[in-house]
PDB file of all heavy atoms in Angstrom:
ATOM      1  N   ASN A 234      38.743  14.394  49.009  1.00  0.00           N
ATOM      2  CA  ASN A 234      39.940  13.862  49.593  1.00  0.00           C
ATOM      3  C   ASN A 234      41.213  14.674  49.410  1.00  0.00           C
ATOM      4  O   ASN A 234      42.170  14.330  50.039  1.00  0.00           O
ATOM      5  CB  ASN A 234      40.120  12.382  49.259  1.00  0.00           C
ATOM      6  CG  ASN A 234      39.088  11.405  49.676  1.00  0.00           C
ATOM      7  OD1 ASN A 234      39.008  11.098  50.862  1.00  0.00           O
ATOM      8  ND2 ASN A 234      38.230  11.188  48.892  1.00  0.00           N
ATOM      9  N   ALA A 235      41.025  15.579  48.355  1.00  0.00           N
ATOM     10  CA  ALA A 235      42.214  16.570  48.066  1.00  0.00           C
ATOM     11  C   ALA A 235      41.515  17.835  47.823  1.00  0.00           C
ATOM     12  O   ALA A 235      40.449  18.109  48.298  1.00  0.00           O
ATOM     13  CB  ALA A 235      42.970  15.992  46.967  1.00  0.00           C
ATOM     14  N   PHE A 269      49.936  16.229  41.544  1.00  0.00           N
ATOM     15  CA  PHE A 269      49.968  14.792  41.373  1.00  0.00           C
ATOM     16  C   PHE A 269      48.957  14.500  40.342  1.00  0.00           C
ATOM     17  O   PHE A 269      47.999  15.175  40.117  1.00  0.00           O
ATOM     18  CB  PHE A 269      49.931  14.051  42.666  1.00  0.00           C
ATOM     19  CG  PHE A 269      48.701  14.099  43.405  1.00  0.00           C
ATOM     20  CD1 PHE A 269      47.728  13.043  43.407  1.00  0.00           C
ATOM     21  CD2 PHE A 269      48.408  15.250  44.243  1.00  0.00           C
ATOM     22  CE1 PHE A 269      46.593  13.184  44.153  1.00  0.00           C
ATOM     23  CE2 PHE A 269      47.257  15.311  44.909  1.00  0.00           C
ATOM     24  CZ  PHE A 269      46.350  14.300  45.012  1.00  0.00           C
ATOM     25  N   ILE A 298      48.685   8.324  40.761  1.00  0.00           N
ATOM     26  CA  ILE A 298      47.831   7.321  41.494  1.00  0.00           C
ATOM     27  C   ILE A 298      47.108   6.707  40.205  1.00  0.00           C
ATOM     28  O   ILE A 298      46.465   7.393  39.439  1.00  0.00           O
ATOM     29  CB  ILE A 298      46.896   7.950  42.376  1.00  0.00           C
ATOM     30  CG1 ILE A 298      47.636   8.566  43.527  1.00  0.00           C
ATOM     31  CG2 ILE A 298      45.869   6.992  42.796  1.00  0.00           C
ATOM     32  CD1 ILE A 298      46.838   9.392  44.478  1.00  0.00           C
ATOM     33  N   LEU A 342      51.355   4.666  42.147  1.00  0.00           N
ATOM     34  CA  LEU A 342      50.569   4.376  43.456  1.00  0.00           C
ATOM     35  C   LEU A 342      49.436   3.593  43.045  1.00  0.00           C
ATOM     36  O   LEU A 342      48.488   4.248  42.542  1.00  0.00           O
ATOM     37  CB  LEU A 342      50.400   5.660  44.181  1.00  0.00           C
ATOM     38  CG  LEU A 342      51.585   6.466  44.505  1.00  0.00           C
ATOM     39  CD1 LEU A 342      51.183   7.826  45.069  1.00  0.00           C
ATOM     40  CD2 LEU A 342      52.507   5.767  45.552  1.00  0.00           C
ATOM     41  N   GLY A 349      40.057   1.594  47.275  1.00  0.00           N
ATOM     42  CA  GLY A 349      41.103   2.102  47.931  1.00  0.00           C
ATOM     43  C   GLY A 349      41.678   3.488  47.495  1.00  0.00           C
ATOM     44  O   GLY A 349      42.462   4.176  48.055  1.00  0.00           O
ATOM     45  N   LEU A 350      40.933   3.959  46.350  1.00  0.00           N
ATOM     46  CA  LEU A 350      41.413   5.221  45.789  1.00  0.00           C
ATOM     47  C   LEU A 350      41.287   6.419  46.715  1.00  0.00           C
ATOM     48  O   LEU A 350      42.268   7.233  46.845  1.00  0.00           O
ATOM     49  CB  LEU A 350      40.661   5.557  44.435  1.00  0.00           C
ATOM     50  CG  LEU A 350      41.099   4.752  43.190  1.00  0.00           C
ATOM     51  CD1 LEU A 350      40.159   4.959  41.979  1.00  0.00           C
ATOM     52  CD2 LEU A 350      42.606   5.321  42.720  1.00  0.00           C
ATOM     53  N   PRO A 351      40.179   6.575  47.336  1.00  0.00           N
ATOM     54  CA  PRO A 351      39.933   7.799  48.079  1.00  0.00           C
ATOM     55  C   PRO A 351      41.139   7.984  49.212  1.00  0.00           C
ATOM     56  O   PRO A 351      41.749   9.146  49.295  1.00  0.00           O
ATOM     57  CB  PRO A 351      38.701   7.673  48.844  1.00  0.00           C
ATOM     58  CG  PRO A 351      37.901   6.731  48.031  1.00  0.00           C
ATOM     59  CD  PRO A 351      38.860   5.787  47.366  1.00  0.00           C
ATOM     60  N   GLU A 352      41.383   6.911  49.798  1.00  0.00           N
ATOM     61  CA  GLU A 352      42.402   6.925  50.881  1.00  0.00           C
ATOM     62  C   GLU A 352      43.814   7.260  50.321  1.00  0.00           C
ATOM     63  O   GLU A 352      44.428   8.002  51.017  1.00  0.00           O
ATOM     64  CB  GLU A 352      42.378   5.514  51.485  1.00  0.00           C
ATOM     65  CG  GLU A 352      42.945   5.561  52.990  1.00  0.00           C
ATOM     66  CD  GLU A 352      42.893   4.138  53.466  1.00  0.00           C
ATOM     67  OE1 GLU A 352      41.756   3.450  53.326  1.00  0.00           O
ATOM     68  OE2 GLU A 352      43.957   3.616  53.957  1.00  0.00           O
ATOM     69  N   LEU A 353      44.059   6.652  49.150  1.00  0.00           N
ATOM     70  CA  LEU A 353      45.349   6.960  48.616  1.00  0.00           C
ATOM     71  C   LEU A 353      45.499   8.359  48.054  1.00  0.00           C
ATOM     72  O   LEU A 353      46.595   9.028  48.315  1.00  0.00           O
ATOM     73  CB  LEU A 353      45.642   5.864  47.377  1.00  0.00           C
ATOM     74  CG  LEU A 353      46.980   5.709  46.804  1.00  0.00           C
ATOM     75  CD1 LEU A 353      47.974   5.418  47.963  1.00  0.00           C
ATOM     76  CD2 LEU A 353      46.911   4.633  45.833  1.00  0.00           C
ATOM     77  N   ILE A 354      44.488   8.869  47.501  1.00  0.00           N
ATOM     78  CA  ILE A 354      44.396  10.274  47.153  1.00  0.00           C
ATOM     79  C   ILE A 354      44.591  11.295  48.258  1.00  0.00           C
ATOM     80  O   ILE A 354      45.395  12.123  48.306  1.00  0.00           O
ATOM     81  CB  ILE A 354      43.149  10.626  46.353  1.00  0.00           C
ATOM     82  CG1 ILE A 354      43.086   9.822  45.008  1.00  0.00           C
ATOM     83  CG2 ILE A 354      42.899  12.132  46.205  1.00  0.00           C
ATOM     84  CD1 ILE A 354      41.913   9.830  44.296  1.00  0.00           C
ATOM     85  N   ARG A 355      43.883  10.846  49.362  1.00  0.00           N
ATOM     86  CA  ARG A 355      43.998  11.797  50.633  1.00  0.00           C
ATOM     87  C   ARG A 355      45.467  11.663  51.066  1.00  0.00           C
ATOM     88  O   ARG A 355      46.074  12.762  51.407  1.00  0.00           O
ATOM     89  CB  ARG A 355      43.065  11.333  51.628  1.00  0.00           C
ATOM     90  CG  ARG A 355      43.108  12.075  53.029  1.00  0.00           C
ATOM     91  CD  ARG A 355      42.001  11.685  53.995  1.00  0.00           C
ATOM     92  NE  ARG A 355      40.622  11.973  53.500  1.00  0.00           N
ATOM     93  CZ  ARG A 355      40.201  13.222  53.770  1.00  0.00           C
ATOM     94  NH1 ARG A 355      40.905  14.136  54.330  1.00  0.00           N
ATOM     95  NH2 ARG A 355      38.974  13.591  53.357  1.00  0.00           N
ATOM     96  N   ALA A 356      45.971  10.526  51.190  1.00  0.00           N
ATOM     97  CA  ALA A 356      47.287  10.451  51.840  1.00  0.00           C
ATOM     98  C   ALA A 356      48.446  11.201  50.895  1.00  0.00           C
ATOM     99  O   ALA A 356      49.177  11.820  51.474  1.00  0.00           O
ATOM    100  CB  ALA A 356      47.798   8.990  51.823  1.00  0.00           C
ATOM    101  N   THR A 357      48.297  11.104  49.730  1.00  0.00           N
ATOM    102  CA  THR A 357      49.178  11.652  48.792  1.00  0.00           C
ATOM    103  C   THR A 357      49.099  13.119  48.846  1.00  0.00           C
ATOM    104  O   THR A 357      50.002  13.938  48.934  1.00  0.00           O
ATOM    105  CB  THR A 357      48.939  11.368  47.309  1.00  0.00           C
ATOM    106  OG1 THR A 357      48.919   9.903  47.249  1.00  0.00           O
ATOM    107  CG2 THR A 357      49.974  11.875  46.416  1.00  0.00           C
ATOM    108  N   TYR A 358      47.812  13.619  49.056  1.00  0.00           N
ATOM    109  CA  TYR A 358      47.556  15.150  49.061  1.00  0.00           C
ATOM    110  C   TYR A 358      48.071  15.624  50.408  1.00  0.00           C
ATOM    111  O   TYR A 358      48.727  16.665  50.374  1.00  0.00           O
ATOM    112  CB  TYR A 358      46.085  15.303  49.030  1.00  0.00           C
ATOM    113  CG  TYR A 358      45.694  16.765  49.361  1.00  0.00           C
ATOM    114  CD1 TYR A 358      45.923  17.804  48.560  1.00  0.00           C
ATOM    115  CD2 TYR A 358      44.913  17.059  50.589  1.00  0.00           C
ATOM    116  CE1 TYR A 358      45.418  19.068  48.754  1.00  0.00           C
ATOM    117  CE2 TYR A 358      44.479  18.364  50.845  1.00  0.00           C
ATOM    118  CZ  TYR A 358      44.790  19.309  50.023  1.00  0.00           C
ATOM    119  OH  TYR A 358      44.446  20.609  50.240  1.00  0.00           O
ATOM    120  N   GLU A 359      47.835  14.882  51.497  1.00  0.00           N
ATOM    121  CA  GLU A 359      48.241  15.358  52.777  1.00  0.00           C
ATOM    122  C   GLU A 359      49.800  15.429  52.946  1.00  0.00           C
ATOM    123  O   GLU A 359      50.357  16.378  53.379  1.00  0.00           O
ATOM    124  CB  GLU A 359      47.786  14.429  53.890  1.00  0.00           C
ATOM    125  CG  GLU A 359      46.300  14.439  54.112  1.00  0.00           C
ATOM    126  CD  GLU A 359      45.636  15.693  54.609  1.00  0.00           C
ATOM    127  OE1 GLU A 359      46.321  16.484  55.007  1.00  0.00           O
ATOM    128  OE2 GLU A 359      44.406  15.789  54.620  1.00  0.00           O
ATOM    129  N   GLU A 360      50.442  14.517  52.226  1.00  0.00           N
ATOM    130  CA  GLU A 360      51.912  14.399  52.290  1.00  0.00           C
ATOM    131  C   GLU A 360      52.536  15.561  51.455  1.00  0.00           C
ATOM    132  O   GLU A 360      53.361  16.280  52.016  1.00  0.00           O
ATOM    133  CB  GLU A 360      52.279  13.180  51.564  1.00  0.00           C
ATOM    134  CG  GLU A 360      53.814  12.814  51.790  1.00  0.00           C
ATOM    135  CD  GLU A 360      54.230  11.567  50.929  1.00  0.00           C
ATOM    136  OE1 GLU A 360      53.433  10.559  50.902  1.00  0.00           O
ATOM    137  OE2 GLU A 360      55.412  11.624  50.264  1.00  0.00           O
ATOM    138  N   LEU A 361      51.887  15.953  50.330  1.00  0.00           N
ATOM    139  CA  LEU A 361      52.408  17.009  49.487  1.00  0.00           C
ATOM    140  C   LEU A 361      52.076  18.349  50.184  1.00  0.00           C
ATOM    141  O   LEU A 361      52.837  19.338  50.094  1.00  0.00           O
ATOM    142  CB  LEU A 361      51.858  16.974  47.984  1.00  0.00           C
ATOM    143  CG  LEU A 361      52.352  15.856  47.125  1.00  0.00           C
ATOM    144  CD1 LEU A 361      51.475  15.823  46.000  1.00  0.00           C
ATOM    145  CD2 LEU A 361      53.875  16.063  46.793  1.00  0.00           C
ATOM    146  N   LYS A 362      51.139  18.368  50.888  1.00  0.00           N
ATOM    147  CA  LYS A 362      50.652  19.526  51.571  1.00  0.00           C
ATOM    148  C   LYS A 362      51.658  19.907  52.727  1.00  0.00           C
ATOM    149  O   LYS A 362      52.181  20.896  53.050  1.00  0.00           O
ATOM    150  CB  LYS A 362      49.205  19.555  52.153  1.00  0.00           C
ATOM    151  CG  LYS A 362      48.544  20.700  52.258  1.00  0.00           C
ATOM    152  CD  LYS A 362      47.137  20.541  52.544  1.00  0.00           C
ATOM    153  CE  LYS A 362      46.584  21.820  53.315  1.00  0.00           C
ATOM    154  NZ  LYS A 362      45.329  21.526  53.909  1.00  0.00           N
ATOM    155  N   GLU A 363      51.988  18.697  53.369  1.00  0.00           N
ATOM    156  CA  GLU A 363      52.973  18.824  54.458  1.00  0.00           C
ATOM    157  C   GLU A 363      54.346  19.253  54.054  1.00  0.00           C
ATOM    158  O   GLU A 363      54.920  20.080  54.626  1.00  0.00           O
ATOM    159  CB  GLU A 363      53.077  17.519  55.047  1.00  0.00           C
ATOM    160  CG  GLU A 363      53.328  17.553  56.629  1.00  0.00           C
ATOM    161  CD  GLU A 363      52.781  16.371  57.346  1.00  0.00           C
ATOM    162  OE1 GLU A 363      51.519  16.348  57.525  1.00  0.00           O
ATOM    163  OE2 GLU A 363      53.474  15.399  57.682  1.00  0.00           O
ATOM    164  N   ILE A 367      51.686  21.945  48.144  1.00  0.00           N
ATOM    165  CA  ILE A 367      50.350  22.295  47.827  1.00  0.00           C
ATOM    166  C   ILE A 367      49.920  23.295  49.028  1.00  0.00           C
ATOM    167  O   ILE A 367      50.154  23.126  50.173  1.00  0.00           O
ATOM    168  CB  ILE A 367      49.433  21.039  47.968  1.00  0.00           C
ATOM    169  CG1 ILE A 367      49.868  20.195  46.820  1.00  0.00           C
ATOM    170  CG2 ILE A 367      47.944  21.523  47.974  1.00  0.00           C
ATOM    171  CD1 ILE A 367      48.896  18.897  46.714  1.00  0.00           C
TER     172      ILE A 367
END
Side-chain angles (χ1 to χ4, degrees):
Chain A
N234 295 285
F269 68 102
I298 297 171
L342 302 168
L350 279 171
E352 205 179 308
L353 197 52
I354 289 168
R355 180 175 288 277
T357 308
Y358 170 72
E359 297 294 348
E360 193 188 319
L361 292 171
K362 208 169 156 193
E363 210 148 287
I367 294 177

